[in-house]
Amino acid sequence: MRGTDSRDALARRLAKLGLAGQCDLVLHLPLRYEDETRITPVGEARTGKPVLVEVEVVDATVAFRPRRQLVVKARDASGLVVMRFLNFYPSQQKALAVGARVRAFGELNSGFFGGEMVHPRFRVLRRPEPLATSLTPVYPTTAGLPQWELRKLVDEALASCPLTETVPAEIRGTLGLPGFADAVLALHRPTPGADLASYESHAHPAWRRVKFDELLGQQLSMRAHYRARRAQRAPALGADGALTRALLARLPFRPTAAQQRVWREIARDLASPHPMNRLLQGDVGSGKTIVAALAALRAVEAGHQAAVMAPTEILAEQHYRKFSEWLAPLGVRVAWVAGAQKKTERRAALEAIASGETQIAVGTHALFQQGVAFARLALAIVDEQHRFGVHQRLALREKGSGTANEGAIPHQLMMSATPIPRTLSMSYYADLDVSVIDALPPGRTPVVTKLVSESRRDEVIARIREACRSGRQAYWVCPLVEESEALDLQTAIDTHAALSAELAGLRVGLVHGRLAPAEKAAVMEAFKTGSKDVLVATTVIEVGVDVPNASLMVIEHAERFGLAQLHQLRGRVGRGVAESACILLYRNPLSESARARLKVIYENADGFVVAREDLLLRGPGEFLGVRQSGVPLLRFADLANDADLVEAARAAAERMLAEFPDAAAKHVERWASGRADLLKA
């Protein structure tokens, strides 16, 4: 029974490291290495460097000052070393008796008696023992799983698990990559004299092979999923375009060439009998909403329904207003669904959606909740898609699979105003088709970004007063308080009170996430119509707010915000013809990371450049946010430094799926390890 308990405990510890089976240990690669291949005489050991010494104990004493510790003095022919053990067991004290021959490994530091090691790893020599023939790996581990046990488990895995090659020689040769077995063994057991710098910087050819394989596994999983989706059925929305032409004729502006290009890409997908899964990217203010409206209209023209989902009520309501303004005159019935609706309104909206009377439903996450049923859902549009989890997006799409579509899957269009760097797009969005609106509509005024210390707050207040007296409006965005949403709210209330006093004579409004929907809508409407001069807000205005007369934004404690948020917030101004400015009010002293973020946003107006810098500063894990809920991040590859490998893996994946399907399946099995379903998300 004890053996079973021990195995279960070991399995739990390995599971904490993401190791489900023995062969997963093959890819549990070292963090660093220690050199136990040679013995360094004590007299030649350099301070601050880990070394292996072989010495004889000449004194072992338990000292009590400044704290209880075991102090062991040992020497070789060249000098004396002191080993201190602040926590020790009687068995260790017994083993380190005077006369014991010991091999100890640790970092040598200067002590009162000369060189000393604190808690060195040691082994008592009963007889002569050979030195290690390779560098000693140090693995990522967890409590209760010592390095020696992990090394033993890895050695067993390397001996028993097949290190078969899964990448065809034609592909390896083109990229100059070593074989899989050679690469893995080189990383677990580097030979003495190996170039440690190339190992530790992950530039060694063995590391490049492992990083390529990891990226290839991800690409194969996602591209296989992409191909499987293309084999599914979806309603073919190839209407004659009469309503589309009518909408375009009514618009007070002409879509840009970039908007027209992405609309053609989307229209082509919608006409296909296979489900579209397209990501529409565009910087803040590039005009994604009209493209979404055209896509929804195509579903209506074909006799189906469309759903438009946004992460906040403000953004969802903005879409509802726009869609109603554009489409209601054409006879299209648009409904609004949100969690905070009155029961009677919500019931009426849901009945109209279920009967098919409503052709386009716009709302928040309430759209995919239980009790919402569509008659003929053919298109799901998800705005700010990175704010929704995988399962939330799938839940909305599944609202269409059991309707009059007879099992066909709705098309899906995801939109994002947070531009995604190319390497990230190729890696984590490899299962999507991507369209990019890469130009802003004409007439958009560039926003001037200014960095201003909090000590000059009075000057900023004066700037707001001047702008409002000249007929303009301003936003004041409250600082984030990470510890508590309640503190965020209180900060907004306090800021509103302070600004109302400082800007006496101006009409100052307040909007935050805790306001009732009706109150929030009333404040926003007052600001849009000019009844309020200044809007004090939390980040609920980050997306979906379009007030052309607002030409000034102040972001208080800008150092607390992320780059994507700062760029999104800045995009709320510059929507009219007036010269616009975004003032980033910061408090000194700034941390290095805050200084780097503010420098990026100050120097760059292009959202794609901001996104690329954001990726470099934060890494893909934080950049992706909840979009990748449940998806394992890359362990070894670095999207910022390994862009060439991302490109190579993408090309290799297409070739392997077409020419080497068996090898592709084995490669995915090795790298996904039961997680392939998550990689598809």
Side-chain angles (χ1 to χ4, degrees):
M1 180 64 75
R2 178 177 293 178
T4 302
D5 290 345
S6 177
R7 283 195 299 273
D8 289 345
L10 176 60
R12 285 193 298 272
R13 291 181 184 122
L14 291 172
K16 285 183 180 179
L17 297 171
L19 304 172
Q22 187 187 37
C23 291
D24 289 347
L25 285 156
V26 169
L27 296 173
H28 189 64
L29 299 176
L31 290 168
R32 55 188 174 83
Y33 304 91
E34 295 173 343
D35 188 354
E36 296 184 71
T37 63
R38 65 189 185 91
I39 292 169
T40 301
V42 171
E44 296 176 16
R46 292 168 55 194
T47 302
K49 296 286 185 182
V51 291
L52 179 69
V53 297
E54 187 169 318
V55 290
E56 182 179 330
V57 176
V58 295
D59 184 64
T61 308
V62 177
F64 293 92
R65 290 183 181 177
R67 56 172 290 182
R68 186 174 183 271
Q69 57 188 293
L70 176 61
V71 181
V72 177
K73 295 177 183 177
R75 66 166 57 250
D76 64 7
S78 68
L80 178 78
V81 65
V82 175
M83 296 182 283
R84 293 184 184 276
F85 299 88
L86 306 179
N87 298 295
F88 60 94
Y89 297 102
S91 57
Q92 291 173 305
Q93 185 179 0
K94 184 178 179 181
L96 292 167
V98 173
R101 191 86 185 154
V102 176
R103 265 186 203 158
F105 184 89
E107 186 175 303
L108 198 69
N109 294 300
S110 296
F112 187 77
F113 296 102
E116 72 173 33
M117 294 177 172
V118 178
H119 278 290
R121 186 170 68 247
F122 72 90
R123 184 165 66 257
V124 176
L125 300 177
R126 311 292 180 191
R127 63 188 68 82
E129 289 187 17
L131 290 167
T133 56
S134 63
L135 300 179
T136 305
V138 179
Y139 294 101
T141 190
T142 188
L145 188 56
Q147 285 291 330
W148 67 264
E149 186 171 11
L150 202 42
R151 290 184 192 113
K152 180 183 174 189
L153 291 168
V154 169
D155 284 344
E156 290 172 356
L158 290 171
S160 60
C161 294
L163 304 181
T164 49
E165 187 56 71
T166 56
V167 179
E170 299 97 306
I171 295 173
R172 289 200 322 274
T174 304
L175 299 171
L177 297 172
F180 177 73
D182 291 340
V184 166
L185 290 170
L187 292 174
H188 284 293
R189 300 166 180 165
T191 55
D195 179 9
L196 269 186
S198 70
Y199 276 89
E200 291 173 357
S201 66
H202 289 197
H204 192 279
W207 267 118
R208 281 186 63 78
R209 170 61 201 264
V210 166
K211 290 191 286 187
F212 172 80
D213 275 23
E214 179 181 39
L215 289 164
L216 179 61
Q218 183 192 55
Q219 290 290 322
L220 286 169
S221 287
M222 288 188 155
R223 298 312 289 176
H225 175 60
Y226 177 88
R227 290 180 172 211
R229 177 173 54 75
R230 297 293 294 174
Q232 294 175 319
R233 284 193 313 110
L237 308 178
D240 64 6
L243 287 175
T244 302
R245 289 191 295 273
L247 171 60
L248 292 171
R250 287 180 54 85
L251 290 176
F253 56 86
R254 178 179 173 79
T256 64
Q259 287 173 310
Q260 293 178 49
R261 171 175 43 77
V262 300
W263 164 236
R264 287 193 296 271
E265 293 169 355
I266 292 166
R268 186 176 61 245
D269 280 0
L270 292 175
S272 165
H274 309 293
M276 174 180 76
N277 205 28
R278 187 169 284 275
L279 173 65
L280 173 59
Q281 290 191 76
D283 210 343
V284 179
S286 61
K288 296 180 296 299
T289 308
I290 187 61
V291 176
L294 289 168
L297 203 52
R298 179 56 55 91
V300 173
E301 287 177 321
H304 291 272
Q305 293 170 297
V308 183
M309 183 169 72
T312 67
E313 287 200 3
I314 285 182
L315 179 55
E317 188 171 0
Q318 175 91 3
H319 284 324
Y320 173 65
R321 288 171 181 269
K322 287 283 188 186
F323 274 60
S324 298
E325 175 190 332
W326 289 333
L327 305 182
L330 305 179
V332 177
R333 297 177 296 278
V334 184
W336 162 252
V337 179
Q341 272 179 309
K342 292 179 181 177
K343 284 186 178 180
T344 51
E345 290 178 9
R346 184 178 169 84
R347 189 182 306 115
L350 295 184
E351 287 173 358
I353 293 168
S355 68
E357 179 186 341
T358 287
Q359 294 161 297
I360 299 176
V362 183
T364 59
H365 58 280
L367 279 175
F368 63 75
Q369 291 179 346
Q370 197 170 1
V372 182
F374 287 82
R376 299 180 301 279
L377 181 64
L379 172 63
I381 299 172
V382 183
D383 198 7
E384 290 301 303
Q385 55 84 29
H386 60 284
R387 296 190 177 200
F388 291 100
V390 170
H391 302 297
Q392 290 175 314
R393 293 201 316 278
L394 292 179
L396 176 61
R397 193 174 71 183
E398 287 165 5
K399 291 288 181 184
S401 58
T403 63
N405 293 341
E406 298 177 349
I409 294 172
H411 300 279
Q412 185 161 252
L413 176 65
M414 293 171 285
M415 303 195 295
S416 177
T418 302
I420 299 159
R422 188 164 179 270
T423 52
L424 201 62
S425 177
M426 285 193 301
S427 180
Y428 285 97
Y429 295 84
D431 58 331
L432 305 179
D433 294 305
V434 180
S435 292
V436 180
I437 301 179
D438 52 9
L440 293 178
R444 284 298 301 267
T445 310
V447 178
V448 176
T449 303
K450 294 181 179 292
L451 289 175
V452 179
S453 168
E454 194 182 49
S455 62
R456 296 170 58 196
R457 191 175 185 275
D458 289 346
E459 295 175 38
V460 174
I461 297 289
R463 175 84 181 267
I464 290 178
R465 186 180 290 108
E466 181 186 335
C468 293
R469 283 179 177 166
S470 66
R472 298 297 164 195
Q473 293 166 277
Y475 297 99
W476 187 289
V477 180
C478 295
L480 288 168
V481 182
E482 292 182 1
E483 292 81 3
S484 163
E485 193 177 322
L487 290 178
D488 272 343
L489 175 62
Q490 191 58 49
T491 301
I493 293 168
D494 293 346
T495 303
H496 175 254
L499 287 175
S500 296
E502 291 171 306
L503 295 169
L506 296 181
R507 298 158 299 181
V508 183
L510 171 65
V511 64
H512 54 74
R514 295 284 188 87
L515 278 181
E519 291 179 81
K520 201 183 301 178
V523 174
M524 293 305 304
E525 188 62 27
F527 190 61
K528 287 175 189 173
T529 58
S531 300
K532 296 287 184 186
D533 302 300
V534 180
L535 183 64
V536 176
T538 57
T539 54
V540 293
I541 64 151
E542 184 179 336
V543 289
V545 178
D546 186 1
V547 182
N549 193 49
S551 62
L552 182 60
M553 169 171 284
V554 178
I555 303 176
E556 192 174 6
H557 282 296
E559 74 276 5
R560 296 185 187 177
F561 292 82
L563 272 175
Q565 273 189 316
L566 289 172
H567 184 64
Q568 287 271 20
L569 288 165
R570 179 171 60 182
R572 298 307 107 206
V573 291
R575 292 176 169 254
V577 294
E579 182 179 316
S580 297
C582 178
I583 297 174
L584 305 178
L585 206 56
Y586 65 89
R587 174 181 287 181
N588 278 315
L590 289 173
S591 67
E592 284 301 314
S593 60
R595 189 181 301 277
R597 288 196 304 276
L598 293 180
K599 184 174 186 289
V600 168
I601 205 74
Y602 173 71
E603 293 179 348
N604 298 284
D606 185 328
F608 284 90
V609 176
V610 171
R612 188 174 65 243
E613 294 298 320
D614 198 12
L615 177 62
L616 291 173
L617 289 173
R618 293 196 293 159
E622 289 186 56
F623 187 96
L624 288 161
V626 296
R627 188 263 169 184
Q628 291 297 326
S629 174
V631 181
L633 294 175
L634 295 168
R635 288 177 286 167
F636 309 122
D638 180 331
L639 295 184
N641 297 320
D642 299 319
D644 62 322
L645 290 178
V646 177
E647 300 248 15
R650 186 179 178 90
E654 290 291 351
R655 185 176 176 189
M656 285 181 67
L657 287 169
E659 300 177 28
F660 308 99
D662 291 343
K666 289 175 182 174
H667 193 89
V668 170
E669 184 180 356
R670 169 177 287 161
W671 282 93
S673 187
R675 296 171 295 182
D677 56 327
L678 292 175
L679 282 166
K680 298 171 187 175

